[in-house]
Amino acid sequence: VKILTKQEGMSMYQGKNPTALQSQNLITEALLALMEEEPFQKITIKAVCAHAGVSRQTFYSLFENKEEVIGRRLDQLFEEYRKRFIEEKRAYTIRSLCDSIMECFVEQKKLLSLLVENHLDTLAREKSEAYLLHLDNIFHAYDHEDRDYAISFLAGAIISMVVYAIRKDDFTDSRKISNLVQKIITGHYFTI
């Protein structure tokens, strides 16, 4: 899994030490399991470490805080998505981008629901923006700055739609949400 740099808001530990990677996995799974039982804000690092079977020293050598643990899982999710998007050789269009992101998100509904329930959807937006910026050649804006704005808008729109659908318990049909995002983005939804 490619982990982007900390400056880009990604996970702290970036090495390849198998023991450290295994500890990261244990910590991540422990936090997600605990989030199914109680709110994120009430979960302590001590509880995460106890559930994962690692020391607090190990935790802090790999992560700065619980949000970074969630960030790591989102890194994995978006890296899986990026690889799948490239391997499927989808056309670089808004339709293919929205369709593939929504398919991936519906597959990860449980994780995204936990984030929404715990008011952590901002992390998902930040990660989606970072990863969309790393998918080269999707947007052919003349000005790099404009490209960044366009991707920021798209990431925000996608995550906002996912969050709203999850809150309405209407997040099972990836095509439905994807089509709606496409209509809004392309100006075919609102009429003046």
Side-chain angles (χ1 to χ4, degrees), residues 26-27 30-31 34 43-60:
L26 291 170
I27 290 167
L31 178 57
L34 289 170
I43 300 170
T44 64
I45 300 296
K46 182 179 179 180
V48 173
C49 292
H51 197 278
V54 301
S55 69
R56 286 173 58 98
Q57 180 181 359
T58 297
F59 180 95
Y60 285 112

mmCIF file of all heavy atoms in Angstrom, residues 26-27 30-31 34 43-60:
data_model
loop_
_atom_site.group_PDB
_atom_site.id
_atom_site.type_symbol
_atom_site.label_atom_id
_atom_site.label_comp_id
_atom_site.label_asym_id
_atom_site.label_seq_id
_atom_site.Cartn_x
_atom_site.Cartn_y
_atom_site.Cartn_z
ATOM 1 N N LEU A 26 -3.090 -4.302 13.409
ATOM 2 C CA LEU A 26 -3.771 -4.663 14.657
ATOM 3 C C LEU A 26 -4.427 -3.440 15.302
ATOM 4 O O LEU A 26 -5.569 -3.515 15.765
ATOM 5 C CB LEU A 26 -2.775 -5.305 15.634
ATOM 6 C CG LEU A 26 -2.248 -6.693 15.253
ATOM 7 C CD1 LEU A 26 -1.104 -7.098 16.180
ATOM 8 C CD2 LEU A 26 -3.378 -7.720 15.292
ATOM 9 N N ILE A 27 -3.717 -2.342 15.329
ATOM 10 C CA ILE A 27 -4.247 -1.110 15.916
ATOM 11 C C ILE A 27 -5.448 -0.609 15.120
ATOM 12 O O ILE A 27 -6.471 -0.228 15.689
ATOM 13 C CB ILE A 27 -3.138 -0.033 16.000
ATOM 14 C CG1 ILE A 27 -2.102 -0.438 17.057
ATOM 15 C CG2 ILE A 27 -3.723 1.341 16.298
ATOM 16 C CD1 ILE A 27 -0.813 0.383 17.005
ATOM 17 N N ALA A 30 -8.390 -2.882 15.708
ATOM 18 C CA ALA A 30 -8.872 -2.711 17.084
ATOM 19 C C ALA A 30 -9.717 -1.452 17.205
ATOM 20 O O ALA A 30 -10.808 -1.477 17.795
ATOM 21 C CB ALA A 30 -7.683 -2.653 18.055
ATOM 22 N N LEU A 31 -9.238 -0.357 16.649
ATOM 23 C CA LEU A 31 -9.997 0.896 16.728
ATOM 24 C C LEU A 31 -11.339 0.763 16.024
ATOM 25 O O LEU A 31 -12.377 1.164 16.559
ATOM 26 C CB LEU A 31 -9.202 2.064 16.156
ATOM 27 C CG LEU A 31 -9.924 3.418 16.155
ATOM 28 C CD1 LEU A 31 -10.364 3.823 17.561
ATOM 29 C CD2 LEU A 31 -9.027 4.495 15.539
ATOM 30 N N LEU A 34 -13.692 -1.310 18.134
ATOM 31 C CA LEU A 34 -14.164 -0.543 19.290
ATOM 32 C C LEU A 34 -15.191 0.507 18.881
ATOM 33 O O LEU A 34 -16.134 0.788 19.624
ATOM 34 C CB LEU A 34 -12.990 0.111 20.020
ATOM 35 C CG LEU A 34 -12.072 -0.856 20.781
ATOM 36 C CD1 LEU A 34 -10.814 -0.137 21.255
ATOM 37 C CD2 LEU A 34 -12.811 -1.507 21.940
ATOM 38 N N ILE A 43 -13.305 6.489 23.049
ATOM 39 C CA ILE A 43 -12.313 5.413 22.968
ATOM 40 C C ILE A 43 -10.939 5.975 23.322
ATOM 41 O O ILE A 43 -10.482 6.948 22.726
ATOM 42 C CB ILE A 43 -12.294 4.781 21.562
ATOM 43 C CG1 ILE A 43 -13.659 4.188 21.222
ATOM 44 C CG2 ILE A 43 -11.199 3.724 21.460
ATOM 45 C CD1 ILE A 43 -13.810 3.761 19.779
ATOM 46 N N THR A 44 -10.283 5.351 24.257
ATOM 47 C CA THR A 44 -8.954 5.809 24.673
ATOM 48 C C THR A 44 -7.864 5.043 23.924
ATOM 49 O O THR A 44 -8.097 3.924 23.436
ATOM 50 C CB THR A 44 -8.754 5.594 26.187
ATOM 51 O OG1 THR A 44 -8.781 4.179 26.456
ATOM 52 C CG2 THR A 44 -9.828 6.324 27.004
ATOM 53 N N ILE A 45 -6.705 5.651 23.861
ATOM 54 C CA ILE A 45 -5.540 4.975 23.256
ATOM 55 C C ILE A 45 -5.246 3.703 24.050
ATOM 56 O O ILE A 45 -4.916 2.665 23.480
ATOM 57 C CB ILE A 45 -4.307 5.911 23.239
ATOM 58 C CG1 ILE A 45 -4.575 7.184 22.439
ATOM 59 C CG2 ILE A 45 -3.070 5.168 22.731
ATOM 60 C CD1 ILE A 45 -4.847 7.002 20.976
ATOM 61 N N LYS A 46 -5.401 3.790 25.360
ATOM 62 C CA LYS A 46 -5.171 2.630 26.228
ATOM 63 C C LYS A 46 -6.083 1.475 25.823
ATOM 64 O O LYS A 46 -5.638 0.323 25.733
ATOM 65 C CB LYS A 46 -5.407 3.027 27.688
ATOM 66 C CG LYS A 46 -5.161 1.917 28.671
ATOM 67 C CD LYS A 46 -5.388 2.405 30.098
ATOM 68 C CE LYS A 46 -5.165 1.288 31.102
ATOM 69 N NZ LYS A 46 -5.382 1.734 32.479
ATOM 70 N N ALA A 47 -7.360 1.776 25.567
ATOM 71 C CA ALA A 47 -8.310 0.735 25.163
ATOM 72 C C ALA A 47 -7.943 0.152 23.796
ATOM 73 O O ALA A 47 -8.036 -1.063 23.589
ATOM 74 C CB ALA A 47 -9.728 1.301 25.133
ATOM 75 N N VAL A 48 -7.529 1.008 22.872
ATOM 76 C CA VAL A 48 -7.119 0.538 21.542
ATOM 77 C C VAL A 48 -5.924 -0.409 21.674
ATOM 78 O O VAL A 48 -5.907 -1.492 21.083
ATOM 79 C CB VAL A 48 -6.780 1.715 20.604
ATOM 80 C CG1 VAL A 48 -6.190 1.212 19.291
ATOM 81 C CG2 VAL A 48 -8.003 2.578 20.343
ATOM 82 N N CYS A 49 -4.945 0.004 22.464
ATOM 83 C CA CYS A 49 -3.742 -0.820 22.649
ATOM 84 C C CYS A 49 -4.077 -2.159 23.296
ATOM 85 O O CYS A 49 -3.560 -3.202 22.875
ATOM 86 C CB CYS A 49 -2.711 -0.064 23.479
ATOM 87 S SG CYS A 49 -2.033 1.363 22.618
ATOM 88 N N ALA A 50 -4.946 -2.126 24.309
ATOM 89 C CA ALA A 50 -5.337 -3.369 24.981
ATOM 90 C C ALA A 50 -6.047 -4.301 23.999
ATOM 91 O O ALA A 50 -5.767 -5.505 23.958
ATOM 92 C CB ALA A 50 -6.232 -3.061 26.177
ATOM 93 N N HIS A 51 -6.937 -3.756 23.198
ATOM 94 C CA HIS A 51 -7.674 -4.558 22.223
ATOM 95 C C HIS A 51 -6.746 -5.103 21.143
ATOM 96 O O HIS A 51 -6.933 -6.229 20.659
ATOM 97 C CB HIS A 51 -8.801 -3.715 21.613
ATOM 98 C CG HIS A 51 -9.856 -4.510 20.932
ATOM 99 N ND1 HIS A 51 -9.720 -4.963 19.640
ATOM 100 C CD2 HIS A 51 -11.077 -4.951 21.353
ATOM 101 C CE1 HIS A 51 -10.803 -5.628 19.287
ATOM 102 N NE2 HIS A 51 -11.641 -5.642 20.324
ATOM 103 N N ALA A 52 -5.754 -4.316 20.759
ATOM 104 C CA ALA A 52 -4.809 -4.729 19.711
ATOM 105 C C ALA A 52 -3.690 -5.614 20.233
ATOM 106 O O ALA A 52 -3.005 -6.272 19.446
ATOM 107 C CB ALA A 52 -4.211 -3.492 19.042
ATOM 108 N N GLY A 53 -3.483 -5.596 21.549
ATOM 109 C CA GLY A 53 -2.394 -6.378 22.132
ATOM 110 C C GLY A 53 -1.031 -5.755 21.886
ATOM 111 O O GLY A 53 -0.036 -6.461 21.706
ATOM 112 N N VAL A 54 -0.982 -4.420 21.857
ATOM 113 C CA VAL A 54 0.286 -3.714 21.676
ATOM 114 C C VAL A 54 0.454 -2.691 22.800
ATOM 115 O O VAL A 54 -0.511 -2.337 23.479
ATOM 116 C CB VAL A 54 0.371 -2.986 20.308
ATOM 117 C CG1 VAL A 54 0.222 -3.971 19.157
ATOM 118 C CG2 VAL A 54 -0.668 -1.884 20.203
ATOM 119 N N SER A 55 1.651 -2.210 22.974
ATOM 120 C CA SER A 55 1.915 -1.218 24.012
ATOM 121 C C SER A 55 1.588 0.190 23.509
ATOM 122 O O SER A 55 1.514 0.427 22.302
ATOM 123 C CB SER A 55 3.387 -1.273 24.427
ATOM 124 O OG SER A 55 4.200 -0.797 23.366
ATOM 125 N N ARG A 56 1.408 1.104 24.451
ATOM 126 C CA ARG A 56 1.194 2.510 24.082
ATOM 127 C C ARG A 56 2.421 3.041 23.343
ATOM 128 O O ARG A 56 2.286 3.856 22.435
ATOM 129 C CB ARG A 56 0.897 3.346 25.333
ATOM 130 C CG ARG A 56 -0.497 3.107 25.884
ATOM 131 C CD ARG A 56 -0.718 3.817 27.210
ATOM 132 N NE ARG A 56 -0.517 5.247 27.150
ATOM 133 C CZ ARG A 56 -1.482 6.154 27.025
ATOM 134 N NH1 ARG A 56 -2.740 5.753 26.961
ATOM 135 N NH2 ARG A 56 -1.193 7.431 26.994
ATOM 136 N N GLN A 57 3.590 2.581 23.733
ATOM 137 C CA GLN A 57 4.822 3.005 23.058
ATOM 138 C C GLN A 57 4.771 2.605 21.584
ATOM 139 O O GLN A 57 5.147 3.383 20.701
ATOM 140 C CB GLN A 57 6.044 2.393 23.740
ATOM 141 C CG GLN A 57 7.347 2.795 23.090
ATOM 142 C CD GLN A 57 8.555 2.160 23.779
ATOM 143 O OE1 GLN A 57 8.427 1.443 24.753
ATOM 144 N NE2 GLN A 57 9.731 2.435 23.240
ATOM 145 N N THR A 58 4.296 1.404 21.314
ATOM 146 C CA THR A 58 4.158 0.954 19.923
ATOM 147 C C THR A 58 3.172 1.839 19.186
ATOM 148 O O THR A 58 3.435 2.268 18.057
ATOM 149 C CB THR A 58 3.710 -0.524 19.869
ATOM 150 O OG1 THR A 58 4.720 -1.330 20.475
ATOM 151 C CG2 THR A 58 3.473 -0.974 18.438
ATOM 152 N N PHE A 59 2.027 2.111 19.827
ATOM 153 C CA PHE A 59 1.028 2.972 19.195
ATOM 154 C C PHE A 59 1.664 4.298 18.783
ATOM 155 O O PHE A 59 1.554 4.711 17.630
ATOM 156 C CB PHE A 59 -0.158 3.234 20.137
ATOM 157 C CG PHE A 59 -1.207 4.117 19.527
ATOM 158 C CD1 PHE A 59 -2.297 3.561 18.892
ATOM 159 C CD2 PHE A 59 -1.096 5.506 19.552
ATOM 160 C CE1 PHE A 59 -3.272 4.366 18.299
ATOM 161 C CE2 PHE A 59 -2.055 6.320 18.966
ATOM 162 C CZ PHE A 59 -3.141 5.750 18.337
ATOM 163 N N TYR A 60 2.320 4.960 19.737
ATOM 164 C CA TYR A 60 2.856 6.293 19.459
ATOM 165 C C TYR A 60 4.092 6.277 18.563
ATOM 166 O O TYR A 60 4.452 7.312 18.003
ATOM 167 C CB TYR A 60 3.118 7.042 20.767
ATOM 168 C CG TYR A 60 1.838 7.530 21.400
ATOM 169 C CD1 TYR A 60 1.389 6.996 22.598
ATOM 170 C CD2 TYR A 60 1.054 8.493 20.772
ATOM 171 C CE1 TYR A 60 0.191 7.431 23.170
ATOM 172 C CE2 TYR A 60 -0.140 8.930 21.329
ATOM 173 C CZ TYR A 60 -0.561 8.399 22.530
ATOM 174 O OH TYR A 60 -1.738 8.831 23.074
#
